[in-house]
């Protein structure tokens, strides 16, 4: 019986502020005022009917529970970060109640980090890359006379000429030590090989770490390396790497040093020196903002020296679309690249890049990132710069993406959302029924108070809520077959009227007294028709939008104004 009562008294994490109808920044006076108002409304002693008295006791307990948490600075700080379950998180008993809210936040963040570290030690962090190189030069560089006498010569020959597969996993050994095991296989025109590497990293302090690397393969032989990282200042860090590569030709030493510095909030400067088989000095500037990414790099070395400039524009949309362009010139020639990147699902990003260069020709690179896995498809189209190759490399992927997006991805995503919504409704059916019962009981408890409020408002031509509905309104012609899912909330809103004003905070209205969610997981609105100073007005408000009626001096009223 006690367990059942405990379950009944559970309130969703987002309900406390909404239940009291106060802002998340509400002061103690605002909390106390709202609490007293609701206590007067739901106090059990005001009701003689046994059933109404029982319902009043339950709602009175909800209100008291919400006020008790929000009026205590420590409990409120925890609730704001972790919700109601945060008050029951492991480790609460060791937190001194006399601490300040800021200290409480730090303590719980520490407990959260410790729990995350324990979880991290129990699992690996796999990362992988699969690259498939495709030679499609026969589409544009073929000569028809060479195929006249060859059977099947009328079809262009497309082949996979290279492939690369790499995979790595992490294994936390202690809180400061991590082992990384990685391996790769590569093949090019029938020749290839593989290697395996073991890296052990230790975090020495908050300012640096070091790692040792051991590797072996069937091409280059054993490898031994060392790398260190160090924060020199708050705005500057240095990395250094040394390595020894053993092969049949002897031992090949190598070294790399890089220094990086924050030039401003969004700009980094890098200076790198590399010594070994391909010695070079590289300097670069990288600027990254919310709307753009710019890179300027200069390398002087043997055998490669170049100047590279890249610019990337980021669209501020939900799909995080990015359009980029770059130019790179050096002793090897000149390469111009342009492309786009788009988030196609929660964990997947698709990108396509066209590369035009001399003497490289034209190529198309397609990349798909799925969680921690990367799939690359570099397609070499032609060794020459042909307008037809450039056109098809640019238009082809765009046309294919739009077709796949409209015919496959969007229907699939829509179907998945509908299935998830149905499952969510099934899982929460009992909870919805309980909240509906509570809302109906709250409306019964409000009747007497609402009559007094209406009489007072009518006497001074104040604010009267004529009709109010909450839920999903169907107005689109394409959704005519779908039934509107709304509930009548006229009485609960009239009960919240005070001094001819109705003020609702930015919290979800489903948590207000007398409300419940009639369509879980769907977009909801509040629509009401009210009378003030003898004039009628209609307002439509979003679920989490704040609402204040009537507006000051009635100079601006959201919605349609209906006057007699």
């Amino acid at each position: 019986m006690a367990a059942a009562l405990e379950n009944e008294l559970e309130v969703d994490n987002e309900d406390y502020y909404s239940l009291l109808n106060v802002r998340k920044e509400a002061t103690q006076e605002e909390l106390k005022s709202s609490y007293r108002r609701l206590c007067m409304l739901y106090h059990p002693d005001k009701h003689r009917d046994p059933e109404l008295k029982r319902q009043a006791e339950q709602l009175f307990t909800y209100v008291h529970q919400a006020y008790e948490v929000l009026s205590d600075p420590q409990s409120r700080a925890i609730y704001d970060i972790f919700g109601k379950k945060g008050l029951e998180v492991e480790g609460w008993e060791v937190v001194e109640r006399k601490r300040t809210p800021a200290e409480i936040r730090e303590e719980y963040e520490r407990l959260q980090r410790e729990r995350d570290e324990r979880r991290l030690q129990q699992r690996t962090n796999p990362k992988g890359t699969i690259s498939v190189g495709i030679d499609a030069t026969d589409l544009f560089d073929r000569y028809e006379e060479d195929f006249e006498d060859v059977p099947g010569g009328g079809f262009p020959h497309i082949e996979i000429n290279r492939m690369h597969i790499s995979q790595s996993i992490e294994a936390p050994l202690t809180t400061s030590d991590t082992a990384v095991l990685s391996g790769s296989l590569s093949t090019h025109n029938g020749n290839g090989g593989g290697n395996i590497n073991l890296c052990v990293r230790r975090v020495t302090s908050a300012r640096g770490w070091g790692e040792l690397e051991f590797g072996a393969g069937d091409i280059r032989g054993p490898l031994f390396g060392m790398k260190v990282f160090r924060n020199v200042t708050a705005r500057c860090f240095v990395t250094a790497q040394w390595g020894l590569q053993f092969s049949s030709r002897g031992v090949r030493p190598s070294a790399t040093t890089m220094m990086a510095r924050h030039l401003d909030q969004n700009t980094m400067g890098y200076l790198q020196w590399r010594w070994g088989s391909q010695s070079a000095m590289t300097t670069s500037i990288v600027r990254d903002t919310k709307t753009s990414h710019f890179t300027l790099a200069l390398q002087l070395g043997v055998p490669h020296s170049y100047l590279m400039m890249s610019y990337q524009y980021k669209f501020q949309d939900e799909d995080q679309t990015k359009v980029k362009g770059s130019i790179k010139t050096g002793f090897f020639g000149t390469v111009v690249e342009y492309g786009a990147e788009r988030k196609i699902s929660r964990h997947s990003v698709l990108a396509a890049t066209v590369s035009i260069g001399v003497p490289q020709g034209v190529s198309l690179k397609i990349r798909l990132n799925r969680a921690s896995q990367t799939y690359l498809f570099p397609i070499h189209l032609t060794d020459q710069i042909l307008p037809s190759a450039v056109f098809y490399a640019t238009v082809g992927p765009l046309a294919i993406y739009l077709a796949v997006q409209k015919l496959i991805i969007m229907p699939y995503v829509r179907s998945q959302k509908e299935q998830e919504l149905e499952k969510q409704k099934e899982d929460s059916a009992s909870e919805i029924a309980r909240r509906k019962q509570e809302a109906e009981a709250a409306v019964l408890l409000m009747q007497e108070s609402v009559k007094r409020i209406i009489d007072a408002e009518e006497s001074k031509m104040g604010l009267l809520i004529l009709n109010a509905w909450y839920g999903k309104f169907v107005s689109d012609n394409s959704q005519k077959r779908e039934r509107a899912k709304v509930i009548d909330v006229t009485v609960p809103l009239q009960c919240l009227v005070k001094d001819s004003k109705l003020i609702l905070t930015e919290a979800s209205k489903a948590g207000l007294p007398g409300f419940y969610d009639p369509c879980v997981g769907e977009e909801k609105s509040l629509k009401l028709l009210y009378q003030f100073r003898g004039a009628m007005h209609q307002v439509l408000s979003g679920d989490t939008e704040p609402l204040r009626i009537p507006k000051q001096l009635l100079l601006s009223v959201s919605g349609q104004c209906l006057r007699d």
Side-chain angles (χ1 to χ4, degrees), residues 521-561:
E522 300 183 62
E523 187 175 351
K524 292 171 283 293
S525 303
L526 174 65
K527 185 177 182 180
L528 56 90
L529 179 68
Y530 69 93
Q531 180 177 312
F532 183 74
R533 298 286 189 260
M536 288 190 294
H537 307 269
Q538 183 172 285
V539 174
L540 182 65
S541 172
D543 186 26
T544 57
E545 294 179 3
L547 178 66
R548 180 189 178 96
I549 57 172
K551 296 283 184 79
Q552 291 183 354
L553 301 179
L554 290 178
L555 292 178
S556 174
V557 178
S558 299
Q560 181 183 4
C561 180

Side-chain angles (χ1 to χ4, degrees), residues 274-295:
R274 185 171 64 249
W275 174 78
S277 58
Q278 295 185 349
S279 300
M281 177 72 75
T282 306
T283 180
S284 60
I285 296 176
V286 179
R287 181 171 178 80
D288 190 12
T289 66
K290 291 183 178 180
T291 59
S292 64
H293 182 93
F294 174 78
T295 303

Side-chain angles (χ1 to χ4, degrees), residues 433-453:
R434 183 180 68 84
R435 295 299 299 269
K436 180 180 179 181
Q437 184 179 7
E438 292 174 359
E440 292 173 349
V443 170
L444 291 176
L445 297 173
M446 296 175 184
Q447 296 293 342
E448 292 185 8
S449 297
V450 167
K451 290 178 182 178
R452 291 194 298 268
I453 294 173

